[in-house]
CSV table of all heavy atoms in Angstrom, one decimal:
chain,number,residue,atom,x,y,z
S,7,ASP,N,112.2,85.3,65.8
S,7,ASP,CA,111.7,84.1,65.1
S,7,ASP,C,110.4,83.6,65.8
S,7,ASP,O,109.4,83.3,65.2
S,7,ASP,CB,112.7,83.0,65.2
S,7,ASP,CG,113.6,83.0,64.0
S,7,ASP,OD1,113.5,83.8,63.1
S,7,ASP,OD2,114.5,82.1,63.9
S,10,ASN,N,107.6,86.0,65.1
S,10,ASN,CA,107.1,85.9,63.7
S,10,ASN,C,106.3,84.6,63.6
S,10,ASN,O,105.3,84.6,62.8
S,10,ASN,CB,108.3,85.8,62.8
S,10,ASN,CG,108.8,87.2,62.4
S,10,ASN,OD1,108.0,88.1,62.3
S,10,ASN,ND2,110.1,87.4,62.2
S,14,TRP,N,102.7,85.5,62.0
S,14,TRP,CA,102.4,85.1,60.6
S,14,TRP,C,101.6,83.9,60.5
S,14,TRP,O,101.3,83.4,59.4
S,14,TRP,CB,103.7,85.0,59.8
S,14,TRP,CG,104.4,86.4,59.7
S,14,TRP,CD1,105.5,86.7,60.4
S,14,TRP,CD2,104.1,87.5,58.9
S,14,TRP,NE1,105.9,88.0,60.1
S,14,TRP,CE2,105.0,88.5,59.1
S,14,TRP,CE3,103.0,87.7,58.0
S,14,TRP,CZ2,104.9,89.7,58.5
S,14,TRP,CZ3,103.0,88.9,57.3
S,14,TRP,CH2,103.9,89.9,57.6
S,15,ASN,N,101.2,83.3,61.6
S,15,ASN,CA,100.2,82.2,61.5
S,15,ASN,C,98.9,82.6,60.9
S,15,ASN,O,98.2,81.8,60.4
S,15,ASN,CB,100.0,81.5,62.9
S,15,ASN,CG,100.5,80.1,62.9
S,15,ASN,OD1,100.7,79.5,61.8
S,15,ASN,ND2,100.8,79.6,64.0
S,18,CYS,N,99.5,86.0,55.6
S,18,CYS,CA,99.5,87.4,55.1
S,18,CYS,C,98.7,87.3,53.8
S,18,CYS,O,98.9,86.3,53.0
S,18,CYS,CB,100.9,87.9,55.0
S,18,CYS,SG,101.8,87.5,53.6
S,43,TYR,N,95.8,88.5,43.2
S,43,TYR,CA,97.2,88.7,43.6
S,43,TYR,C,98.1,89.0,42.4
S,43,TYR,O,98.8,90.0,42.4
S,43,TYR,CB,97.7,87.5,44.4
S,43,TYR,CG,99.1,87.6,45.0
S,43,TYR,CD1,99.2,87.9,46.4
S,43,TYR,CD2,100.2,87.5,44.3
S,43,TYR,CE1,100.4,88.0,47.0
S,43,TYR,CE2,101.5,87.6,44.9
S,43,TYR,CZ,101.5,87.9,46.3
S,43,TYR,OH,102.8,88.0,46.9
S,66,GLU,N,111.7,78.4,48.1
S,66,GLU,CA,110.9,79.6,48.4
S,66,GLU,C,111.0,79.8,49.9
S,66,GLU,O,110.6,78.9,50.6
S,66,GLU,CB,109.5,79.5,47.9
S,66,GLU,CG,108.8,80.9,48.1
S,66,GLU,CD,107.3,80.9,47.9
S,66,GLU,OE1,106.7,79.8,47.9
S,66,GLU,OE2,106.8,82.0,47.7
S,67,ILE,N,111.3,81.0,50.3
S,67,ILE,CA,111.3,81.3,51.8
S,67,ILE,C,110.3,82.4,52.0
S,67,ILE,O,110.4,83.5,51.5
S,67,ILE,CB,112.7,81.8,52.2
S,67,ILE,CG1,113.8,80.8,51.8
S,67,ILE,CG2,112.7,81.9,53.8
S,67,ILE,CD1,115.2,81.3,52.1
S,68,GLY,N,109.4,82.1,53.0
S,68,GLY,CA,108.3,83.1,53.3
S,68,GLY,C,107.1,82.8,52.4
S,68,GLY,O,107.0,83.4,51.3
S,69,LEU,N,106.2,82.0,52.8
S,69,LEU,CA,105.2,81.4,51.8
S,69,LEU,C,103.8,82.2,51.8
S,69,LEU,O,103.1,82.2,50.8
S,69,LEU,CB,104.9,80.0,52.1
S,69,LEU,CG,106.2,79.1,52.3
S,69,LEU,CD1,105.8,77.7,52.7
S,69,LEU,CD2,107.1,79.2,51.1
S,70,GLY,N,103.5,82.8,53.0
S,70,GLY,CA,102.2,83.5,53.0
S,70,GLY,C,101.0,82.7,52.6
S,70,GLY,O,100.8,81.5,53.0
S,71,TYR,N,100.2,83.3,51.7
S,71,TYR,CA,99.0,82.6,51.2
S,71,TYR,C,99.3,81.5,50.1
S,71,TYR,O,98.4,80.8,49.7
S,71,TYR,CB,98.1,83.7,50.6
S,71,TYR,CG,96.6,83.5,51.0
S,71,TYR,CD1,96.2,84.1,52.2
S,71,TYR,CD2,95.7,82.8,50.2
S,71,TYR,CE1,94.8,83.9,52.6
S,71,TYR,CE2,94.4,82.7,50.6
S,71,TYR,CZ,94.0,83.2,51.8
S,71,TYR,OH,92.7,83.1,52.2
S,72,GLY,N,100.5,81.5,49.7
S,72,GLY,CA,100.9,80.4,48.8
S,72,GLY,C,100.8,80.6,47.3
S,72,GLY,O,101.1,79.7,46.5
S,74,LEU,N,102.6,82.4,45.2
S,74,LEU,CA,103.8,82.4,44.5
S,74,LEU,C,104.4,81.0,44.5
S,74,LEU,O,105.0,80.5,43.5
S,74,LEU,CB,104.8,83.4,45.0
S,74,LEU,CG,104.3,84.9,44.8
S,74,LEU,CD1,105.3,85.9,45.5
S,74,LEU,CD2,104.2,85.2,43.3
S,88,LEU,N,109.9,77.0,52.7
S,88,LEU,CA,110.3,77.2,54.1
S,88,LEU,C,109.6,78.4,54.7
S,88,LEU,O,109.6,79.4,54.1
S,88,LEU,CB,111.8,77.4,54.1
S,88,LEU,CG,112.5,77.5,55.5
S,88,LEU,CD1,112.5,76.2,56.3
S,88,LEU,CD2,113.9,78.1,55.4
S,89,ASP,N,109.0,78.2,55.9
S,89,ASP,CA,108.4,79.3,56.5
S,89,ASP,C,108.5,79.1,58.0
S,89,ASP,O,108.5,78.0,58.5
S,89,ASP,CB,106.9,79.5,56.1
S,89,ASP,CG,106.4,80.9,56.4
S,89,ASP,OD1,106.2,81.2,57.6
S,89,ASP,OD2,106.2,81.6,55.4
S,90,ILE,N,108.6,80.3,58.7
S,90,ILE,CA,108.8,80.2,60.2
S,90,ILE,C,107.4,79.8,60.9
S,90,ILE,O,107.4,79.3,62.0
S,90,ILE,CB,109.3,81.6,60.7
S,90,ILE,CG1,109.8,81.5,62.1
S,90,ILE,CG2,108.2,82.6,60.6
S,90,ILE,CD1,111.1,80.9,62.3
S,91,ALA,N,106.3,80.0,60.2
S,91,ALA,CA,105.0,79.8,60.8
S,91,ALA,C,104.4,78.5,60.2
S,91,ALA,O,104.5,78.2,59.1
S,91,ALA,CB,104.1,81.0,60.6
S,94,PRO,N,101.3,79.0,57.0
S,94,PRO,CA,101.7,79.1,55.6
S,94,PRO,C,102.2,77.7,55.1
S,94,PRO,O,102.0,77.4,53.9
S,94,PRO,CB,102.8,80.1,55.7
S,94,PRO,CG,102.6,80.9,56.9
S,94,PRO,CD,102.0,80.0,57.9
S,116,GLY,N,110.6,76.4,59.4
S,116,GLY,CA,112.1,76.7,59.7
S,116,GLY,C,112.4,78.1,59.5
S,116,GLY,O,111.5,78.8,58.9
S,117,SER,N,113.5,78.6,59.9
S,117,SER,CA,113.9,80.0,59.8
S,117,SER,C,114.8,80.3,58.6
S,117,SER,O,115.8,79.5,58.4
S,117,SER,CB,114.5,80.5,61.1
S,117,SER,OG,114.8,81.8,60.9
S,118,ALA,N,114.6,81.4,58.0
S,118,ALA,CA,115.5,81.9,57.0
S,118,ALA,C,116.9,82.2,57.5
S,118,ALA,O,117.9,82.3,56.8
S,118,ALA,CB,114.9,83.2,56.4
S,119,LEU,N,117.0,82.3,58.8
S,119,LEU,CA,118.2,82.6,59.5
S,119,LEU,C,119.1,81.4,59.7
S,119,LEU,O,120.2,81.5,60.2
S,119,LEU,CB,118.0,83.4,60.8
S,119,LEU,CG,117.2,84.7,60.6
S,119,LEU,CD1,117.0,85.4,62.0
S,119,LEU,CD2,117.9,85.6,59.7
S,133,SER,N,112.6,84.8,47.7
S,133,SER,CA,112.1,85.2,49.0
S,133,SER,C,111.5,86.6,48.8
S,133,SER,O,112.2,87.6,48.7
S,133,SER,CB,113.2,85.2,50.0
S,133,SER,OG,112.6,85.4,51.3
S,134,ILE,N,110.2,86.6,48.7
S,134,ILE,CA,109.4,87.9,48.4
S,134,ILE,C,108.8,88.4,49.7
S,134,ILE,O,107.9,87.8,50.2
S,134,ILE,CB,108.4,87.6,47.3
S,134,ILE,CG1,109.0,87.0,46.1
S,134,ILE,CG2,107.6,88.9,47.0
S,134,ILE,CD1,110.1,87.7,45.4
S,135,GLY,N,109.3,89.5,50.2
S,135,GLY,CA,108.7,90.2,51.3
S,135,GLY,C,108.9,89.4,52.6
S,135,GLY,O,108.0,89.5,53.5
S,136,CYS,N,110.0,88.7,52.8
S,136,CYS,CA,110.2,87.9,54.0
S,136,CYS,C,111.4,88.3,54.8
S,136,CYS,O,111.3,88.6,56.0
S,136,CYS,CB,110.2,86.5,53.6
S,136,CYS,SG,110.9,85.4,54.9
S,137,LEU,N,112.6,88.4,54.1
S,137,LEU,CA,113.8,88.6,54.9
S,137,LEU,C,113.8,89.9,55.8
S,137,LEU,O,114.5,89.9,56.8
S,137,LEU,CB,115.0,88.5,54.0
S,137,LEU,CG,115.2,87.2,53.2
S,137,LEU,CD1,116.4,87.3,52.3
S,137,LEU,CD2,115.3,86.0,54.1
S,138,HIS,N,113.1,90.9,55.3
S,138,HIS,CA,113.1,92.1,56.1
S,138,HIS,C,112.3,92.0,57.4
S,138,HIS,O,112.3,92.9,58.2
S,138,HIS,CB,112.6,93.3,55.3
S,138,HIS,CG,111.3,93.1,54.6
S,138,HIS,ND1,111.1,93.5,53.3
S,138,HIS,CD2,110.2,92.5,54.9
S,138,HIS,CE1,109.9,93.2,52.9
S,138,HIS,NE2,109.3,92.5,53.9
S,139,HIS,N,111.7,90.9,57.6
S,139,HIS,CA,110.9,90.6,58.9
S,139,HIS,C,111.8,89.8,59.9
S,139,HIS,O,111.3,89.6,61.0
S,139,HIS,CB,109.6,89.9,58.6
S,139,HIS,CG,108.6,90.7,57.9
S,139,HIS,ND1,108.2,92.0,58.3
S,139,HIS,CD2,108.0,90.5,56.7
S,139,HIS,CE1,107.3,92.5,57.4
S,139,HIS,NE2,107.2,91.6,56.5
S,140,THR,N,112.9,89.3,59.4
S,140,THR,CA,113.6,88.3,60.3
S,140,THR,C,114.4,88.9,61.4
S,140,THR,O,114.8,88.2,62.4
S,140,THR,CB,114.6,87.5,59.4
S,140,THR,OG1,115.6,88.4,58.9
S,140,THR,CG2,113.9,86.7,58.3
S,163,MET,N,112.7,90.2,47.5
S,163,MET,CA,112.0,91.5,47.6
S,163,MET,C,112.2,92.0,49.0
S,163,MET,O,111.9,91.3,50.0
S,163,MET,CB,110.5,91.4,47.2
S,163,MET,CG,109.8,92.7,47.2
S,163,MET,SD,109.3,93.3,48.9
S,163,MET,CE,107.6,92.7,48.9
S,165,TYR,N,111.6,95.8,51.4
S,165,TYR,CA,110.9,97.1,51.4
S,165,TYR,C,112.0,98.2,51.1
S,165,TYR,O,113.1,98.2,51.7
S,165,TYR,CB,110.3,97.4,52.7
S,165,TYR,CG,109.0,96.6,53.0
S,165,TYR,CD1,108.7,96.2,54.2
S,165,TYR,CD2,108.2,96.2,51.9
S,165,TYR,CE1,107.5,95.4,54.5
S,165,TYR,CE2,107.0,95.5,52.1
S,165,TYR,CZ,106.7,95.1,53.4
S,165,TYR,OH,105.5,94.4,53.7
S,207,ASP,N,102.4,96.1,57.4
S,207,ASP,CA,101.9,94.8,57.7
S,207,ASP,C,101.2,94.7,59.0
S,207,ASP,O,101.9,94.9,60.0
S,207,ASP,CB,103.1,93.8,57.7
S,207,ASP,CG,103.9,93.6,56.4
S,207,ASP,OD1,103.4,92.9,55.6
S,207,ASP,OD2,104.9,94.3,56.3
I,301,SAM,C1,104.7,89.3,54.2
I,301,SAM,S1,104.6,87.6,54.1
I,301,SAM,C2,105.1,87.3,52.4
I,301,SAM,C3,104.5,86.0,51.8
I,301,SAM,C4,104.7,85.8,50.3
I,301,SAM,N1,106.0,85.7,49.9
I,301,SAM,C5,104.0,86.9,49.5
I,301,SAM,O1,104.7,87.7,49.0
I,301,SAM,O2,102.8,87.0,49.5
I,301,SAM,C6,106.1,87.1,55.0
I,301,SAM,C7,106.2,85.6,55.2
I,301,SAM,O3,107.6,85.4,55.7
I,301,SAM,C8,107.5,84.4,56.7
I,301,SAM,N2,108.6,84.6,57.6
I,301,SAM,C9,108.8,85.6,58.5
I,301,SAM,N3,110.0,85.5,59.2
I,301,SAM,C10,110.6,84.3,58.7
I,301,SAM,C11,111.7,83.6,59.0
I,301,SAM,N4,112.6,84.0,59.9
I,301,SAM,N5,112.0,82.5,58.3
I,301,SAM,C12,111.1,82.0,57.3
I,301,SAM,N6,109.9,82.6,57.1
I,301,SAM,C13,109.7,83.8,57.7
I,301,SAM,C14,106.1,84.7,57.4
I,301,SAM,O4,105.7,83.6,58.1
I,301,SAM,C15,105.2,85.0,56.2
I,301,SAM,O5,104.6,83.9,55.7
Side-chain angles (χ1 to χ4, degrees):
D7 268 0
N10 274 329
W14 294 105
N15 244 339
C18 85
Y43 187 100
E66 185 192 19
I67 309 174
L69 313 178
Y71 225 85
L74 296 176
L88 182 70
D89 200 289
I90 196 76
S117 179
L119 301 180
S133 190
I134 306 300
C136 166
L137 297 180
H138 49 223
H139 292 305
T140 62
M163 185 278 265
Y165 288 147
D207 297 280

